[in-house]
Amino acid sequence: MTQAKEFKDVTGQNNNHKDHQGEVEMLRVVACIDGSRAAPAVCDYAAWASKHMETPMTLLHVLDEERYPTEPDLAGSIGLGSREQLMDELAELDRKRSKLALEHGHHMLDEAEHRVKEQGIDGVIKRQRHGDLTESLLALENQTRLLVMGLHGESSSDRDVHVGSQLETVIRSVHRPILLVPDEYEQPKSAMLAFDGSATAFKGVELLAGSPVLKGMPIHLVMIGADTNDRWEQLKKAEKMLGDLGSDITLAIRAGDVEPTLHAYQEEHDIDILVMGAYGHSRIRQFLVGSTTTTMLKTAKKPLVILR
């Protein structure tokens, strides 16, 4: 692994974060900070999750290597007969641009640290990486309890909202719960789990039962489909699995198409967080990682937790 690929703290030193016995430290809430307008909300939701889960926090900034290469490659980009001096000058401009982007990232991490410290979060680790976002998150996967990211990309505006271009790749690749947040923060007070009764859905319930992310919070278990005795038995089994969370659990079955029905239920009951899992080849999975993914993420007005 080259030096440019290693994680760095904001002082530029190698930062492996091991304790005195050489063991990798406890799992952390990892907040992805970028230049998008969702960055303050990412900090706020990550601070809430850190306190609610009693889990320390890492602030991460990844500088896209394609946009800001450490060593620009101009071979073939300038026509025949161009002067070598011109190529050198262009390469130097790219190097300066990457350096400035890294410095800007340092400032963003400093501002994010200040924001979460004001909310009572101590012991924050700041990390920066020059490379691919998904690869960077996978490198931290074994140290991650919850990943927090903004729903909307850096190019979003009030008139033209864009889902982060790498978000779907991250959802498909990172096997940790992901909290995807809108541009404005509201403290979560309730949650709903989209559930389809499949074997992998129960694995998602098991994961949720073993995680402190929703501990003590009212939870709605919602199935989309026909109202049958079998489905109610599946819901009751899932409810029992969540018993140790100490949550007030509501069971519901609704008929209709997955996306509008889930959103309608969420609005009807004023639920703050929608929890979903990548459930095999079910309707839920097709909704989550299929052709409607971008639409669902783009129209979401409240946080989503993706169970992986």
Side-chain angles (χ1 to χ4, degrees):
M1 181 177 290
T2 65
Q3 185 177 16
K5 297 290 186 181
E6 292 176 354
F7 282 104
K8 304 290 179 180
D9 66 16
V10 294
T11 65
Q13 297 175 346
N14 193 30
N15 196 351
N16 291 321
H17 303 296
K18 294 184 179 179
D19 63 19
H20 296 297
Q21 288 75 38
E23 300 289 337
V24 177
E25 66 177 338
M26 68 180 68
L27 297 177
R28 306 180 71 88
V29 172
V30 176
C32 289
I33 305 301
D34 58 16
S36 72
R37 61 181 183 172
V42 169
C43 294
D44 295 343
Y45 277 107
W48 166 80
S50 178
K51 288 187 287 187
H52 184 75
M53 300 170 67
E54 299 181 347
T55 301
M57 184 192 302
T58 293
L59 294 167
L60 174 67
H61 174 251
V62 178
L63 193 65
D64 189 345
E65 191 174 37
E66 290 188 4
R67 292 179 61 190
Y68 303 100
T70 53
E71 290 297 331
D73 181 8
L74 298 179
S77 64
I78 301 178
L80 295 174
S82 296
R83 296 182 179 179
E84 184 177 349
Q85 179 182 354
L86 178 58
M87 294 181 68
D88 291 342
E89 289 177 357
L90 288 172
E92 181 61 24
L93 285 173
D94 270 355
R95 279 189 286 268
K96 288 181 178 179
R97 184 168 170 263
S98 294
K99 182 179 179 180
L100 288 172
L102 284 169
E103 291 177 357
H104 179 57
H106 290 170
H107 290 306
M108 286 194 294
L109 286 170
D110 288 342
E111 291 173 2
E113 180 185 34
H114 178 71
R115 188 178 185 97
V116 299
K117 279 187 173 181
E118 286 186 331
Q119 300 177 56
I121 306 301
D122 296 319
V124 177
I125 291 174
K126 295 179 290 183
R127 284 185 159 189
Q128 187 174 57
R129 179 168 171 141
H130 201 154
D132 177 77
L133 175 61
T134 301
E135 289 180 1
S136 300
L137 294 174
L138 287 173
L140 282 175
E141 191 173 61
N142 290 337
Q143 303 169 38
T144 302
R145 170 167 279 173
L146 177 71
L147 173 62
V148 185
M149 298 179 64
L151 275 164
H152 305 138
E154 292 183 86
S155 60
S156 291
S157 65
D158 291 331
R159 294 183 178 180
D160 190 12
V161 177
H162 294 287
V163 173
S165 60
Q166 302 181 77
L167 190 52
E168 186 173 349
T169 303
V170 171
I171 291 173
R172 290 176 180 271
S173 303
V174 178
H175 288 78
R176 287 292 183 270
I178 305 173
L179 173 59
L180 303 174
V181 305
D183 296 345
E184 301 294 333
Y185 172 75
E186 291 185 14
Q187 181 174 332
K189 298 178 181 179
S190 59
M192 62 180 284
L193 173 63
F195 178 76
D196 70 354
S198 66
T200 44
F202 278 106
K203 289 181 181 178
V205 173
E206 184 178 2
L207 175 63
L208 188 61
S211 170
V213 64
L214 300 180
K215 189 172 184 179
M217 187 180 297
I219 300 173
H220 292 245
L221 284 176
V222 183
M223 294 187 77
I224 306 300
D227 188 333
T228 65
N229 289 335
D230 287 345
R231 289 179 180 272
W232 282 110
E233 289 302 317
Q234 290 172 334
L235 281 172
K236 291 175 183 178
K237 180 180 177 180
E239 178 186 24
K240 186 175 181 180
M241 292 172 65
L242 297 175
D244 290 341
L245 289 180
S247 299
D248 181 13
I249 299 178
T250 300
L251 309 180
I253 297 176
R254 292 290 186 271
D257 294 330
V258 175
E259 180 180 357
T261 306
L262 286 175
H263 285 314
Y265 186 95
Q266 185 176 16
E267 292 179 8
E268 177 186 349
H269 295 274
D270 193 25
I271 297 170
D272 298 312
I273 296 179
L274 171 59
V275 185
M276 304 187 70
Y279 299 153
H281 298 287
S282 68
R283 293 171 65 202
I284 293 287
R285 177 172 173 80
Q286 292 169 12
F287 167 51
L288 175 63
V289 294
S291 60
T292 62
T293 300
T294 300
T295 301
M296 184 272 286
L297 296 176
K298 185 175 180 179
T299 57
K301 298 179 181 179
K302 293 188 177 183
L304 302 167
V305 171
I306 308 301
L307 297 177
R308 293 285 296 164

